Amino acid sequence: RHIGADIDALGSQIALKDIIKTTFPKKNVYAVGAYAAKFKTVGILDKEVEEMYENSLLIIVDCPTLKRTDASNIENFSYVVKIDHHPFEEKFSDIELVDEEASSASELIVDLCKNTKLILTKYAAERLYMGIVSDTGRFLHPTASPKTFSVCAELLKKYDIDKTALYKTIYIRNLAEVSFNGYVYQNLKVTENGVGYILITDEIQKQFGVDPATSGNVVNELTYINELLAWVTFSED
């Protein structure tokens, strides 16, 4: 998945590992990438091992461009599949499942399971539900279509998902992160044309005890500020 992981990237990645392993128990399946402390409750990532590359399939989720892929040695894999919902930018895999109308990579994987023999477990369904909720901003973004609501309703009913418990998993924060968000609000610059921006150095991240994933995802905290027409965060990694 992409660098600076968010819940959709991690949720779809970890869910897909569980789905493949359940459907094909004899296969070795790994979910790899940089650790994101902010989202550790979503699931555990694996360390890269040599056997990952030889005669293996690489599946990249939630990433439109090769340069933003959190994976090394892509050329060493035998076959590459991309599953993504962002506007198409470039082809870099053998098979590309891209739906720009989908709310999230998680929604795409639910669709994939419904239309194939892949087995969707409750554990995977919970991760995919979290991915959809997070990437739609709790269904506030325009990407939350009637189909998105239908998919979530089906997940909740079929897998008896405790959404209250999952929301706590998604939105619980420690004091360091709250203090860091306060720093961002206090130091945000706004141009006369309504562009908000902030530079977050490695030194600032260490000061507040946050990692690059937390720093990168703070851009979402600026969504509902009346004076901002556009906003961007620059974080050192």
Side-chain angles (χ1 to χ4, degrees), residues 46-61:
D46 301 303
K47 293 183 178 180
E48 294 187 25
V49 293
E50 281 302 316
E51 70 174 22
M52 281 173 46
Y53 305 111
E54 186 177 353
N55 193 31
S56 294
L57 165 67
L58 172 67
I59 303 175
I60 300 173
V61 297

Side-chain angles (χ1 to χ4, degrees), residues 15-29:
L16 190 56
K17 172 191 173 179
D18 185 70
I19 290 164
I20 295 171
K21 190 66 180 176
T22 302
T23 309
F24 305 100
K26 294 182 179 181
K27 287 191 179 292
N28 294 324
V29 191

Side-chain angles (χ1 to χ4, degrees), residues 68-100:
R68 282 188 50 78
T69 302
D70 191 352
S72 59
N73 304 322
I74 291 177
E75 66 279 359
N76 292 345
F77 289 88
S78 300
Y79 209 77
V80 181
V81 172
K82 178 173 77 174
I83 302 174
D84 188 40
H85 70 112
H86 296 97
F88 179 83
E89 292 191 47
E90 65 172 326
K91 177 177 172 61
F92 59 86
S93 57
D94 299 287
I95 292 180
E96 304 218 342
L97 174 57
V98 179
D99 183 357
E100 298 178 14

